[in-house]
Amino acid sequence: MSGRPRSWLLRVALVAAALLRPEQHARPLAARPVPRPRSQAPGSLKCFLGALKMEMTEVTGVSLKRGSHAVEDNDCVAPSEEAKRQKVLDGGLTTGQDGLEHVSPPSSVDVPGPPAAVSAGEGRKNSDVQVEEEEEEEEDGLSEEGEEEEEAESFADMMKHGLTELDVGITKFVSSHQGFSGILKERYSDFVVHEIGKDGRISHLDDLSVPVDEEDPSEDVFTVLTAEEKQRLEELQLFKNKETSVAIEVIEDTKEKRTVIHQAIKSLFPGLETKTEDREGKKYIVAYHAAGKKALANPRKHSWPKSRGSYCHFVLYKENKDTMDAINVLSKYLRVKPNIFSYMGTKDKRAITVQEIAVLKITAQRLAHLNKCLMNFKLGNFSYQKNPLKLGELQGNHFTVVLRNITGTDDQVQQAMNSLKEIGFINYYGMQRFGTTAVPTYQVGRAILQNSWTEVMDLILKPRSGAEKGYLVKCREEWAKTKDPAAALRKLPVKRCVEGQLLRGLSKYGMKNIVSAFGIIPRNNRLMYIHSYQSYVWNNMVSKRIEEYGLKPVPGDLVLKGATATYIDEEDVNNYSIHDVVMPLPGFDVIYPKHKISEAYREMLTADNLDIDNMRHKIRDYSLSGAYRKIIIRPQNVSWEVVAYDDPKIPLFNTDVDNLEGKPPPVFASEGKYRALKMDFSLPPSTYATMAIREVLKMDTSIKNQTQLNTTWLR
């Protein structure tokens, strides 16, 4: 197709854009990379359109967006680097908030849509993860949609080799009610998460107004510069060429016009300074770097009013996008680095989530302008404050969850929900902590702790049972055949995945320095592996503790007094309940229970060739200090209702955006083809909503199990 004239391509683009128009409930998502199409049968429309999108992006610079929601606005175009990487959200298999996608009965159910896959590194509820400056731009590319014709079979095939709850120590329940089945996340809008701030208030997006500030520039700053001028300024700002300045001619030379251009450059391109120059009788605004490369990361101090707090706090509403991806999108549109954003906890992808974000020296006006540009995002509730947000400051999250097509009777639902409210659930780490493929993340973590770096490399790069994306299969095959990192890397169109980063490291440092090569992977991703191993041990030990001693505290159990763990003595055992008992994640700075479970910890770590008495690692990052975690969690603010419905596609409750738009809440009939359980509950940080739902349904929440129950949906 490269030989075709560009005018022909442009004409076909219009046809393609129409063909790509989504269904009403599917909305395009901005700023995602375009996947390179895999080979298809000749004549395939999807292959043709995929090739066309690549051709149009590479040859003409045109990016095809799905849907009719895009806004024609120069200021709403992502930076040039990002514009080349636009991607269509194709409604395929995607990662889920909190891991659990479809929980369904063993029999076939007439409900549309396949269960969604869970990415290995995602789903860590409120984990202490900050955005990396350089490496964590987009997700690793493993979640990009491929061909629908191949996807169903390959996903089911992959899950045959995935993990079950038994594999990661999730074996016990606390209640005696009879379980039932239902479908979670048939739509991502069935899972809504609202952050609970440090003041105990639940975050809601309910105000889109911008604080009145006389210091703010006029709205003209967003339109005064042409797209070409913005392109040149961006390249100057990001040091993408050898230019030391950019001169913009002032066509209508008035002081007001010059002022607006000065303001536009300074506000849209942090790090650039401006001055006015006369050149041959014409006025020019000249932009240049004020303080070298550091200025890009640190917006100019003198451009911000002293009376205004340095941080703009806002509520971010997002659909089907995790926190770090969302911040990367915002930073690209604002032309700043992601590390000027802060937040209290990460929220995962396949859900609607509402949380507070803070950003350094970006005006509410600029942030509000993004509402015109971005799909599936909404920013509001702006305020200026002195301090950023800190990870872990939140009190928890409030969940609104719909389980569709439930099979339980009203009595079963009542028993299950009363048990959840009064007793709670075992605080297991959920399945998404451990990955979905034949190589669980905890195995890599164990190898790191053992200092077995060849095994670490092998576990990440070796061919795996089951299906993966085509380019990953080819990459692994090349690695197994040649052990040549450069050759294997050439098989990857997306280099930001963990495999690509490790191969890049091996190319740079050589096979004899795997430690340094592994170090190229962002720190948070590396630590994910060893945290996964700690979680694996904790799950197994908690199951043993409950099997051995049941749901009551016993002498030798641990409880927290402040931040310090102490033992329960025989004489004061009646002063505690099972909700007070904690158990340690293994590390050098924790104590272990004084009963049989202490020996169980030792035996498990010894079997893994680890010394429980020496959890320090030669590399400081991989030394485990350990922590304590409550074994039973009782949700707060629990409420529920069973509703009847006929259309599986209709939303069963209003979101914050629905309420802002004045949409009336859904009205339910007394009878319908289906029944759904709508649940509301609040959980503390670092707990998994899927484990609460598991306790209600009494079903294995692993993707492997759900896939086996639902293979008919995948065909």
Side-chain angles (χ1 to χ4, degrees):
M1 220 161 78
S2 59
R4 303 272 189 180
R6 293 188 181 184
S7 59
W8 180 87
L9 287 172
L10 289 169
R11 287 198 300 274
V12 177
L14 298 174
V15 179
L19 289 170
L20 283 171
R21 189 157 300 179
E23 298 175 5
Q24 286 186 346
H25 65 276
R27 286 189 253 178
L29 204 63
R32 299 286 288 174
V34 179
R36 190 173 295 278
R38 285 186 271 171
S39 59
Q40 286 188 324
S44 164
L45 172 64
K46 197 164 185 185
C47 177
F48 167 74
L49 293 176
L52 174 66
K53 282 192 289 183
M54 294 298 293
E55 184 90 354
M56 293 302 297
T57 302
E58 292 171 6
V59 176
T60 70
V62 175
S63 177
L64 298 182
K65 279 195 176 182
R66 241 180 124 179
S68 57
H69 303 285
V71 178
E72 292 293 333
D73 185 335
N74 281 342
D75 228 34
C76 291
V77 177
S80 58
E81 177 185 355
E82 185 63 25
K84 294 177 183 176
R85 307 191 311 153
Q86 294 292 322
K87 171 180 176 289
V88 173
L89 179 65
D90 211 10
L93 302 174
T94 52
T95 304
Q97 170 89 15
D98 229 350
L100 179 59
E101 298 303 338
H102 288 253
V103 182
S104 65
S107 58
S108 177
V109 180
D110 183 21
V111 180
V118 181
S119 158
E122 274 187 274
R124 291 171 54 198
K125 180 65 60 193
N126 292 331
S127 55
D128 288 354
V129 180
Q130 188 60 280
V131 176
E132 292 287 329
E133 250 183 63
E134 297 177 328
E135 298 291 349
E136 292 195 10
E137 289 191 4
E138 286 287 340
E139 270 304 302
D140 57 16
L142 301 183
S143 62
E144 293 175 10
E145 285 71 38
E147 312 306 339
E148 288 177 3
E149 295 89 340
E150 300 174 14
E151 199 70 80
E153 184 175 357
S154 66
F155 178 71
D157 212 22
M158 178 173 72
M159 288 302 101
K160 293 175 186 175
H161 305 276
L163 296 171
T164 65
E165 290 184 347
L166 180 64
D167 295 327
V168 294
I170 301 173
T171 60
K172 302 296 180 184
F173 295 96
V174 300
S175 57
S176 57
H177 73 268
Q178 183 180 352
F180 56 92
S181 56
I183 305 162
L184 176 65
K185 292 191 185 177
E186 181 183 338
R187 299 163 55 87
Y188 63 76
S189 55
D190 284 349
F191 201 103
V192 177
V193 186
H194 289 267
E195 189 173 71
I196 304 173
K198 55 187 176 182
D199 57 1
R201 288 190 297 181
I202 297 174
S203 291
H204 281 281
L205 182 76
D206 53 20
D207 183 4
L208 300 182
S209 66
V210 175
V212 177
D213 191 332
E214 294 180 1
E215 301 279 356
D216 281 337
S218 70
E219 281 289 323
D220 293 341
V221 300
F222 299 108
T223 56
V224 70
L225 298 172
T226 67
E228 182 185 355
E229 288 167 346
K230 289 180 181 178
Q231 169 84 16
R232 292 173 60 207
L233 287 164
E234 182 199 333
E235 290 175 354
L236 174 67
Q237 180 202 31
L238 299 178
F239 297 92
K240 286 187 175 180
N241 54 36
K242 295 182 179 179
E243 284 189 65
T244 57
S245 65
V246 167
I248 295 171
E249 184 180 355
V250 184
I251 304 298
E252 302 169 15
D253 183 20
T254 64
K255 184 177 180 181
E256 290 75 18
K257 183 68 177 287
R258 293 197 302 272
T259 299
V260 170
I261 296 175
H262 282 293
Q263 289 176 335
I265 294 172
K266 291 176 182 179
S267 62
L268 297 178
F269 301 93
L272 296 185
E273 190 55 89
T274 59
K275 59 185 177 182
T276 303
E277 287 187 1
D278 281 307
R279 298 182 181 179
E280 299 178 355
K282 295 180 180 179
K283 282 279 198 305
Y284 287 84
I285 307 296
V286 179
Y288 59 95
H289 275 284
K293 292 189 177 183
K294 289 184 179 179
L296 183 58
N298 303 299
R300 296 169 300 107
K301 294 180 180 178
H302 64 271
S303 68
W304 195 260
K306 292 180 180 179
S307 59
R308 181 198 287 167
S310 294
Y311 294 88
C312 185
H313 288 232
F314 61 96
V315 169
L316 173 65
Y317 170 102
K318 59 186 178 62
E319 299 180 358
N320 208 31
K321 196 83 165 168
D322 71 35
T323 299
M324 286 180 287
D325 273 350
I327 283 176
N328 282 312
V329 171
L330 296 179
S331 66
K332 284 181 171 65
Y333 274 78
L334 293 167
R335 298 176 177 86
V336 296
K337 287 200 171 183
N339 65 350
I340 70 171
F341 290 86
S342 58
Y343 47 89
M344 294 183 286
T346 58
K347 306 290 179 284
D348 298 325
K349 181 177 179 181
R350 192 171 169 80
I352 292 174
T353 67
V354 182
Q355 69 182 117
E356 188 176 353
I357 305 286
V359 61
L360 176 64
K361 294 184 178 177
I362 298 292
T363 65
Q365 187 184 31
R366 285 187 67 192
L367 292 168
H369 190 73
L370 296 179
N371 287 332
K372 301 176 183 178
C373 313
L374 299 175
M375 321 297 180
N376 297 6
F377 289 86
K378 213 72 168 176
L379 288 67
N381 296 80
F382 302 103
S383 65
Y384 293 109
Q385 299 184 32
K386 292 180 180 179
N387 299 310
L389 296 169
K390 294 181 181 177
L391 280 163
E393 281 185 332
L394 74 170
Q395 285 195 17
N397 294 287
H398 184 80
F399 296 87
T400 302
V401 177
V402 169
L403 301 177
R404 291 181 183 250
N405 203 22
I406 59 170
T407 62
T409 65
D410 286 349
D411 282 346
Q412 283 178 290
V413 171
Q414 188 79 5
Q415 289 176 22
M417 294 305 298
N418 276 328
S419 174
L420 182 69
K421 183 176 182 177
E422 293 165 12
I423 303 174
F425 62 96
I426 303 171
N427 194 19
Y428 286 124
Y429 287 95
M431 293 302 299
Q432 67 274 29
R433 186 80 159 182
F434 307 103
T436 58
T437 64
V439 179
T441 51
Y442 73 80
Q443 290 184 6
V444 180
R446 178 169 55 202
I448 293 170
L449 294 172
Q450 292 168 344
N451 226 27
S452 302
W453 291 101
T454 300
E455 184 182 357
V456 171
M457 176 179 68
D458 190 45
L459 285 169
I460 294 174
L461 296 177
K462 71 180 181 181
R464 302 181 177 187
S465 303
E468 282 189 304
K469 295 295 180 188
Y471 55 78
L472 266 176
V473 173
K474 292 176 183 176
C475 170
R476 295 187 193 285
E477 288 173 351
E478 183 68 26
W479 172 255
K481 182 172 65 178
T482 66
K483 289 293 190 280
D484 180 350
L489 192 61
R490 285 195 291 271
K491 301 291 183 182
L492 285 179
V494 179
K495 304 294 194 290
R496 289 181 306 280
C497 59
V498 168
E499 292 83 356
Q501 289 162 334
L502 178 56
L503 288 168
R504 190 156 52 86
L506 291 170
S507 298
K508 181 176 181 179
Y509 293 105
M511 299 285 285
K512 293 184 178 180
N513 194 353
I514 300 171
V515 174
S516 295
F518 184 72
I520 275 189
I521 297 170
R523 182 174 183 270
N524 293 321
N525 291 11
R526 288 181 277 124
L527 296 184
M528 173 197 71
Y529 291 117
I530 59 174
H531 292 158
S532 175
Y533 178 74
Q534 284 181 301
S535 305
Y536 168 71
V537 172
W538 194 91
N539 279 0
N540 278 279
M541 292 300 98
V542 166
S543 293
K544 284 185 179 292
R545 159 65 182 75
I546 291 173
E547 180 178 349
E548 190 71 34
Y549 299 111
L551 294 175
K552 62 182 188 301
V554 298
D557 272 336
L558 293 169
V559 293
L560 289 178
K561 291 186 177 177
T564 305
T566 61
Y567 296 107
I568 296 179
D569 296 326
E570 184 88 47
E571 56 270 19
D572 62 358
V573 70
N574 292 328
N575 296 330
Y576 298 100
S577 76
I578 193 65
H579 299 98
D580 299 313
V581 176
V582 299
M583 286 184 62
L585 286 93
F588 61 78
D589 199 26
V590 295
I591 58 175
Y592 295 88
K594 282 185 179 177
H595 47 53
K596 292 180 182 179
I597 305 306
S598 179
E599 190 56 35
Y601 271 98
R602 185 174 295 276
E603 289 172 1
M604 186 172 184
L605 268 67
T606 299
D608 286 339
N609 295 315
L610 295 171
D611 182 359
I612 197 171
D613 298 315
N614 182 18
M615 297 299 288
R616 295 187 185 274
H617 196 278
K618 292 178 180 177
I619 301 168
R620 185 177 176 182
D621 263 359
Y622 310 136
S623 290
L624 296 179
S625 60
Y628 300 98
R629 182 175 176 89
K630 286 193 172 183
I631 67 173
I632 303 291
I633 291 292
R634 184 162 45 199
Q636 302 298 307
N637 307 313
V638 179
S639 64
W640 66 92
E641 65 175 322
V642 176
V643 299
Y645 66 103
D646 290 311
D647 184 354
K649 294 181 180 179
I650 64 165
L652 299 183
F653 58 89
N654 273 7
T655 66
D656 284 358
V657 168
D658 291 332
N659 293 332
L660 275 170
E661 294 173 351
K663 183 178 177 182
V667 178
F668 303 107
S670 56
E671 293 186 4
K673 187 177 179 182
Y674 307 107
R675 292 162 66 245
L677 170 60
K678 177 176 174 283
M679 310 163 57
D680 277 272
F681 55 91
S682 299
L683 294 177
S686 302
T687 54
Y688 288 73
T690 43
M691 294 295 99
I693 294 163
R694 169 187 181 269
E695 186 68 41
V696 170
L697 297 174
K698 291 286 188 74
M699 292 188 72
D700 185 331
T701 59
S702 66
I703 299 298
K704 176 177 180 177
N705 184 62
Q706 301 313 317
T707 304
Q708 289 168 349
L709 295 178
N710 295 283
T711 49
T712 54
W713 289 1
L714 295 169
R715 305 213 178 267

